[in-house]
């Protein structure tokens, strides 16, 4: 790999289906046209994450044409209430079960099908990094893990049920060619800021140029919350 | 993307100076009755805005301040509402439906509603004297003496209806809720609420976030009071402990724009919607474009005026030749949105952002693929619903499987293969009913032709009319079956159950079980015919069977489709021959 940026990695992910849910249509789900930066971050973190590093997605390449599929499924409609849990904890007994037969909702979804992406990312060291930590260490660690197929949890494409297959792409010249399509993707979810008391969503204007979406840095002025 | 395109449609319509869409904070509403007041707030007259006859009478549509989304609580609209809110009385129709003790309670509630109605006006206009219209309404309502109104000849009809009431000043044409003072107050109210300001995920601007979005009306099968695209009506749908609309920050302006635009596209009598199975489908272009009008004529022509549709499609074909402005190269963005009901919510069945040129090309391709020889009285271009009905039980649109219609529409727009389930469904109907109709065969032929082209098997393509060179086993057996039926028909013209009624499904799926028997039967039938006919028919059968060494045990789904097409082609050829003989 070109060693200009020793903390840069490149990961190819693909799967039969994907749903990068739009917040405004998260009930009757409709996916974004392409993978969001936060979904890409989730995949990278599933393979390697330590308190010492923070991932930054820089580019997403779309390798297969955008295709859609409409599916209807039954899902659970409620969550276990916090109040019931608190009461159960204080009294030492209580009913916390949730019965799917009594709490069902049919939900439709407009999902992506047959997706294939190339995630370009780098990472920074956080202030949790110790003396023995450096970029090369984590980059090598990531590569080893990705090559062996190791992960902390199965990486997924937007929703847990759409698991992702992955492989690292090492050589610059082996990079697969993205689709030749350009499109204004509108405002897209960048990520959530969990440091605030109430998690706050951040958005950016996503453009696909010749199958490539450039992802701005977290602290750039293009990312707005 | 969907909300963005809809909101742009609203902006565009407003920019073009169209008054079809109400300004922000307003909506269009049917107001059947108006109370006319003088400036002192005295009752002058009741006005009936309805037109039409009998039960079909409908009131005029006025632009009024946007109504509230009501559930069970008391929430008055501004300066227009139902009888109980405006006058504090329960209408006679409603009272009759209630039991005595509940009637009392409802009467009490009506009084509260009226108080809330007055309070809302006072809250919106703190300076009562500023506008003479507002002053008159308040004076009228606070006096609370409606005797002269009850004595009016129209009162009985109002009492028997459930429609809305509003106010008008004597000597003025506009409603009081349309006066400048009201417009100003609403504009301020929309911009000044600073509760939850956040970035809007559609426009990217900082705006007040809408907690609840106005309902979308007109999606067939959804609740008549309206349903939502953006809603979070169950706990499991929310995230990070956020409530309602805060889960998906959409600004008030965009919320208003997209719901108004969608309601406009879905309205009764809209020329920009078609029903595709269970999906209410709307479409629009990024700028004012004739294709917005033509799209309906292409796919779902008015049954009372089928020629218009045919004309529109002919124009679609002529376009590349006429050279005026080729529609194929028109890159105006064109959007198609299919919405399906799910009780209180609306799901997006399909979403297609394309260009006018692409849509035109793909629709033309669709008509090319469905084109097949047919009786002269049948329409040349089959409307979408006839094709869909042909694959459904009892020929009813309700029986089309939910996803199928949407997938079919998507396939047409994108130019992708038609759903395979469509072929299976059409063949199932053919086998069950033994009616090999024009729309069914057109559908089967379209699926086969399109698959053959897209998967690059030109030799498997199916022709428009009888193809003597098609050597596919399914196609040939279909033709043979048509000849055998013809033989029987000539020999025994009045037989009750023909071989089609008795053997079609067996012959088309498992030929080996049916054909040997049918060929034996044929010999008995031929005995009854004249020499000339026998020679002609035997020769024809010989040609078809040439090279067939044995009957296959099974036919694949595709070959069953070709069997049907072959049968249909051969039969059409007989009809045409008969026409020529005459």
């Amino acid at each position: 790999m070109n060693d200009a940026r020793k903390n840069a990695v490149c990961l190819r992910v693909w799967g039969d289906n994907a749903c990068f849910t739009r917040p405004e249509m998260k009930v009757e789900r409709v996916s974004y046209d392409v993978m969001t930066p936060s979904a890409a971050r989730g995949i990278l973190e599933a393979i390697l994450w330590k308190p010492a590093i923070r991932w930054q997605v820089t580019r997403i390449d779309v390798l297969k044409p955008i295709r859609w599929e409409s599916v209807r499924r039954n899902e659970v409609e409620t969550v276990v209430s916090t109040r019931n849990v608190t009461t159960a904890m204080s009294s030492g007994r209580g009913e916390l079960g949730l019965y799917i037969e009594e709490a069902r909702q049919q939900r439709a979804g407009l999902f992506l099908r047959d997706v294939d992406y190339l995630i370009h990312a780098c990472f920074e060291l956080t202030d949790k990094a110790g003396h023995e930590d450096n970029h090369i260490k984590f980059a090598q660690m990531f590569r080893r893990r990705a090559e062996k197929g190791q992960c902390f949890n199965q990486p997924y494409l937007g929703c847990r049920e759409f698991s992702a297959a992955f492989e690292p792409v090492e050589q610059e010249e082996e990079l697969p060619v993205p689709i030749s399509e350009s499109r204004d993707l509108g405002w897209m979810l960048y990520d959530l800021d969990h440091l605030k008391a109430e998690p706050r969503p951040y958005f950016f204007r996503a453009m696909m140029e010749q199958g490539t979406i450039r992802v701005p840095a977290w602290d750039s002025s293009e990312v707005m919350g | 993307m969907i909300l963005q395109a809809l909101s742009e449609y609203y902006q565009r319509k407003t920019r073009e100076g169209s008054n079809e869409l109400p300004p922000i904070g307003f909506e269009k509403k049917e107001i059947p009755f108006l109370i006319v007041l003088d400036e002192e707030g005295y009752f002058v007259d009741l006005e009936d805005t309805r037109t039409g006859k009998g039960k079909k009478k409908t009131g005029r549509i006025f632009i009024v301040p946007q109504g509230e989304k009501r559930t069970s609580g008391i929430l008055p609209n501004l300066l227009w509402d139902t009888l109980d809110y405006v006058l504090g009385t329960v209408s006679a129709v409603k009272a009759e439906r209630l039991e005595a003790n509940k009637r009392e309670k409802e009467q009490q509630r009506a009084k509260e509603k009226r108080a809330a109605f007055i309070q809302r006006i006072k809250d919106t206009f703190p300076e009562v004297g500023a506008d003479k219209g507002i002053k008159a309404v308040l004076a009228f309502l606070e006096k609370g003496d409606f005797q002269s109104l009850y004595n009016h000849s129209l009162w009985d009809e109002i009492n028997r209806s459930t429609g809305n009431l509003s106010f008008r000043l004597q000597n003025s044409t506009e409603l009081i809720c349309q006066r400048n003072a009201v417009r100003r107050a609403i504009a301020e109210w929309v911009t000044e609420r600073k509760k939850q300001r956040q970035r809007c995920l559609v426009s990217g601007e900082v705006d007040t976030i809408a907690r609840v979005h106005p309902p979308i009306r007109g999606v067939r099968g959804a609740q008549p009071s309206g349903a939502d695209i953006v809603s979070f009506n169950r706990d499991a749908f929310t995230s990070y402990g956020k409530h309602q609309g805060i889960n998906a920050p959409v600004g008030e302006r965009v919320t208003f724009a997209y719901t108004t635009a969608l309601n406009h596209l879905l309205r009764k009598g809209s020329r920009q919607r078609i029903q595709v199975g269970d999906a209410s489908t709307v479409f629009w272009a990024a700028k004012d474009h004739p294709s917005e009008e033509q799209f309906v004529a292409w796919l779902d022509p008015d049954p009372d005026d089928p020629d218009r549709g045919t004309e529109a499609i002919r124009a679609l074909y002529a376009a590349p030749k006429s050279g005026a402005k080729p529609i194929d190269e028109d890159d105006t963005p064109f959007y198609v949105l299919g919405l399906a009901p799910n009780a209180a919510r609306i799901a997006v069945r399909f979403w297609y952002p394309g260009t006018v040129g692409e849509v035109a090309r793909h629709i033309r391709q669709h008509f090319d693929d469905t084109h097949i020889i047919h009786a002269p009285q049948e329409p040349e271009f089959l409307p979408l619903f006839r094709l869909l009905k042909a694959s459904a039980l009892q020929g009813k649109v309700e029986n089309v499987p939910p996803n199928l219609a949407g997938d079919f529409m998507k396939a047409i727009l994108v130019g992708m293969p038609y759903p395979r389930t469509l072929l299976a469904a059409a063949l199932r109907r053919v086998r069950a009913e033994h009616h090999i109709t024009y729309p069914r065969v057109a559908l089967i032929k379209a699926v086969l032709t399109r698959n053959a082209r897209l998967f690059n098997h030109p030799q498997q393509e199916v022709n428009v009319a009888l193809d003597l060179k098609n050597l596919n086993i399914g196609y040939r057996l279909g033709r043979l079956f048509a000849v055998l039926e013809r033989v029987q028909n000539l020999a025994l013209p009045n037989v009750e159950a023909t071989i089609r009624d008795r053997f079609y499904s067996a012959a088309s799926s498992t030929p080996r079980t049916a054909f040997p028997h049918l060929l034996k039967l044929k010999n008995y039938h031929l005995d009854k015919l004249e020499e000339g006919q026998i020679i002609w028919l035997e020769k024809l059968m010989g040609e078809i069977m040439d090279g067939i060494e044995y009957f296959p045990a099974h036919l694949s789904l595709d070959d069953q489709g070709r069997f049907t097409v072959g049968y249909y082609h051969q039969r059409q050829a007989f009809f045409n021959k008969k026409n020529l003989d005459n």
Side-chain angles (χ1 to χ4, degrees), chain A residues 22-24 26-28 68 70 72 76-77 105-108 110 187 192 194 198-199 203 205 224-225, chain B residues 1 4 199 201-204 230-232 234 236-237 239-240 242 248 342 345-347 349 402-403 410:
Chain A
R22 290 170 178 273
E24 72 271 30
K26 77 204 275 286
V27 179
E28 304 287 348
W68 299 90
S70 164
R72 275 215 261 195
V76 182
E77 65 174 13
Q105 278 280 313
Q106 188 161 64
R107 294 167 77 175
L110 196 58
W187 287 88
L192 276 120
H194 289 279
E198 191 187 349
F203 298 92
R205 189 73 194 236
M224 296 192 267
Chain B
M1 224 29 219
Q4 200 176 352
R199 194 158 298 276
L201 60 74
V202 177
S203 68
V230 182
S231 83
F232 304 89
R234 303 281 164 171
F237 303 161
S239 299
Y240 305 110
K242 292 175 191 284
N342 189 0
R345 298 192 301 267
I346 295 170
R349 202 21 84 63
N403 261 340
K410 195 173 74 181

Side-chain angles (χ1 to χ4, degrees), chain B residues 20 22 26-34 49 59-68 70 77 80-82 162-166 175 177-178 215 217 224-225:
Chain B
E20 288 171 79
F26 286 83
E27 71 170 318
K28 284 182 150 185
K29 201 85 199 174
E30 179 186 337
I31 310 277
F33 303 105
L34 295 178
T49 72
R60 227 176 93 190
I61 309 284
F62 290 94
I63 290 183
V64 295
Q66 199 166 26
E68 295 293 333
R70 280 204 285 250
N77 296 323
W80 65 273
D81 216 313
T82 49
T162 49
N164 290 309
L165 288 166
S166 192
L175 302 186
C177 58
Q178 296 170 334
R217 294 194 183 86
S225 57

Side-chain angles (χ1 to χ4, degrees), chain B residues 375-412:
Chain B
Q377 74 272 18
E378 290 281 7
E380 185 175 349
F381 305 107
L382 283 163
L384 210 54
F385 74 92
R386 274 198 69 184
L387 286 172
L388 276 173
K389 271 196 328 203
S391 70
L393 187 67
Q394 295 176 317
K396 286 186 181 156
V397 178
E398 303 94 87
N399 292 337
V400 176
N403 261 340
L404 187 60
D407 287 348
F408 185 43
M409 183 74 188
K410 195 173 74 181
I412 294 173

Side-chain angles (χ1 to χ4, degrees), chain B residues 109-366:
Chain B
R109 250 174 86 82
K111 290 214 170 66
E112 288 170 34
K113 284 180 180 174
R114 176 169 160 242
F117 185 74
I118 297 175
Q119 195 54 46
R120 171 140 195 214
I121 302 175
K122 283 185 176 167
D123 288 349
T124 319
F125 308 96
E127 296 162 48
V128 175
D131 184 77
K132 55 184 178 184
I134 304 296
K135 205 168 125 194
V137 171
L138 275 176
F140 170 73
L141 290 174
E142 285 186 330
K143 261 181 275 182
D145 174 22
F146 306 135
Q147 205 49 52
S148 42
L149 191 150
Y150 296 153
N151 291 338
H152 194 277
S153 56
L154 248 180
W155 169 249
D156 215 39
E157 269 198 65
I158 299 181
N159 211 2
R160 305 233 135 254
S161 79
T162 49
N164 290 309
L165 288 166
S166 192
F167 302 94
R168 181 168 77 78
L169 268 189
Q170 197 181 6
N171 308 328
S172 160
T173 48
E174 59 180 5
L175 302 186
I176 290 178
C177 58
Q178 296 170 334
R179 292 175 68 86
N180 276 336
V182 181
R183 283 172 202 268
R184 257 196 318 269
I186 286 176
E188 272 170 32
W189 176 73
V190 170
T191 48
E192 284 226 336
R193 283 182 302 176
K194 285 181 182 157
K195 279 174 282 178
Q196 264 276 10
R197 284 180 77 78
Q198 219 178 310
R199 194 158 298 276
C200 166
L201 60 74
V202 177
S203 68
E205 284 159 17
V206 175
D207 195 0
T208 312
I209 300 306
R211 282 187 70 82
V212 178
H213 295 217
I216 309 291
R217 294 194 183 86
V219 173
R220 192 184 288 176
Q223 286 176 358
S225 57
D228 297 296
I229 290 188
V230 182
S231 83
F232 304 89
N233 57 349
R234 303 281 164 171
D235 292 344
F237 303 161
T238 59
S239 299
Y240 305 110
K242 292 175 191 284
H243 294 288
Q244 307 257 37
I246 311 300
N247 276 287
V250 180
E252 287 275 5
R253 282 164 227 271
V254 172
T255 306
F256 176 81
Y258 95 80
T259 47
T260 307
L262 197 49
N263 276 323
H264 174 73
L265 291 170
L266 282 165
R267 77 190 185 282
K268 229 184 265 171
S270 163
R271 301 187 58 116
Q272 275 165 266
R273 68 170 290 174
I274 46 173
Q275 191 70 28
V276 187
D278 70 336
S280 298
T281 307
V282 293
F283 44 86
W284 66 99
K287 59 175 196 239
D288 193 23
H289 197 278
S291 61
E292 285 184 341
E293 291 266 315
Q294 287 161 350
F295 194 76
V296 171
W298 290 337
L299 292 176
D300 189 18
D302 185 356
D304 299 331
D305 188 12
D307 292 344
R308 228 187 86 107
T310 314
E311 277 311 304
I313 299 167
R314 288 246 165 78
L316 191 61
Y317 274 93
K321 294 171 207 152
S322 68
K325 188 196 174 194
I327 193 167
D328 286 38
E329 285 158 33
D330 196 328
D331 57 359
T332 309
F334 192 84
Y335 306 103
V336 186
L337 173 65
L339 299 170
N342 189 0
R345 298 192 301 267
I346 295 170
V348 176
R349 202 21 84 63
F350 56 86
W351 164 243
Y352 168 77
T355 65
V356 171
E358 240 170 64
V359 170
R361 271 201 312 277
H362 288 147
I363 289 182
R364 203 162 54 221
Q365 186 65 58
H366 163 71

Side-chain angles (χ1 to χ4, degrees), chain B residues 299-574:
Chain B
L299 292 176
D300 189 18
D302 185 356
D304 299 331
D305 188 12
D307 292 344
R308 228 187 86 107
T310 314
E311 277 311 304
I313 299 167
R314 288 246 165 78
L316 191 61
Y317 274 93
K321 294 171 207 152
S322 68
K325 188 196 174 194
I327 193 167
D328 286 38
E329 285 158 33
D330 196 328
D331 57 359
T332 309
F334 192 84
Y335 306 103
V336 186
L337 173 65
L339 299 170
N342 189 0
R345 298 192 301 267
I346 295 170
V348 176
R349 202 21 84 63
F350 56 86
W351 164 243
Y352 168 77
T355 65
V356 171
E358 240 170 64
V359 170
R361 271 201 312 277
H362 288 147
I363 289 182
R364 203 162 54 221
Q365 186 65 58
H366 163 71
F367 284 118
D368 279 344
D369 286 346
T370 50
H371 180 48
I372 194 163
I373 186 167
H374 55 86
Q377 74 272 18
E378 290 281 7
E380 185 175 349
F381 305 107
L382 283 163
L384 210 54
F385 74 92
R386 274 198 69 184
L387 286 172
L388 276 173
K389 271 196 328 203
S391 70
L393 187 67
Q394 295 176 317
K396 286 186 181 156
V397 178
E398 303 94 87
N399 292 337
V400 176
N403 261 340
L404 187 60
D407 287 348
F408 185 43
M409 183 74 188
K410 195 173 74 181
I412 294 173
L413 291 172
V414 184
M416 298 283 283
Y418 295 114
R420 276 197 75 77
T421 39
L422 203 60
L423 178 63
L427 284 172
R428 204 160 43 231
R429 290 331 305 155
V430 166
R431 277 205 303 272
E433 295 171 18
H434 313 129
H435 289 311
I436 295 86
T437 60
Y438 165 45
R440 258 177 212 151
V441 183
L443 200 59
I444 293 168
K445 183 245 171 190
V447 176
L448 295 172
T449 308
R450 184 167 278 203
N451 281 349
R453 188 181 62 249
L454 291 174
F455 298 121
N456 232 347
H457 299 299
Q459 72 281 10
Q460 288 178 12
E461 237 179 273
V462 186
N463 266 15
V464 171
L466 186 61
D467 178 9
L468 300 176
K469 293 201 191 75
N470 191 332
L471 296 181
N472 174 278
I473 184 75
Y475 189 81
R476 287 210 274 175
L477 290 179
R479 287 182 60 199
L480 180 61
F481 191 81
V483 179
L484 293 173
E485 187 195 34
R486 181 83 181 151
V487 173
Q488 187 198 32
N489 184 256
L490 287 172
L492 309 160
N494 297 320
V495 70
E496 212 143 275
T498 64
I499 62 166
R500 187 179 75 199
D501 295 323
R502 294 178 54 197
F503 294 103
Y504 188 89
S505 49
S508 65
S509 50
T510 53
R512 196 178 290 169
T513 60
F515 274 100
H517 178 67
L518 287 171
L519 289 177
K520 215 183 293 165
L521 208 58
K522 168 212 66 178
N523 293 334
Y524 299 121
H525 293 148
L526 280 180
D527 283 347
K528 295 191 166 44
L529 298 180
E530 294 162 20
E531 186 95 3
Q533 283 178 316
I534 298 177
I535 292 171
W536 168 59
L537 288 164
E538 288 273 26
K539 192 168 156 244
L540 185 57
M541 281 186 280
E543 275 167 21
I544 296 172
M545 299 253 290
D546 182 31
I548 298 182
E549 284 164 15
Y550 60 94
F551 293 110
H554 297 282
L555 286 183
S556 69
L557 199 64
D558 283 7
D559 281 345
Q560 288 182 33
R562 290 191 189 95
F563 182 99
T564 309
V565 178
Y567 168 83
Y568 179 85
H569 278 167
Q570 185 65 53
R571 210 175 45 154
Q572 287 293 327
F574 285 138

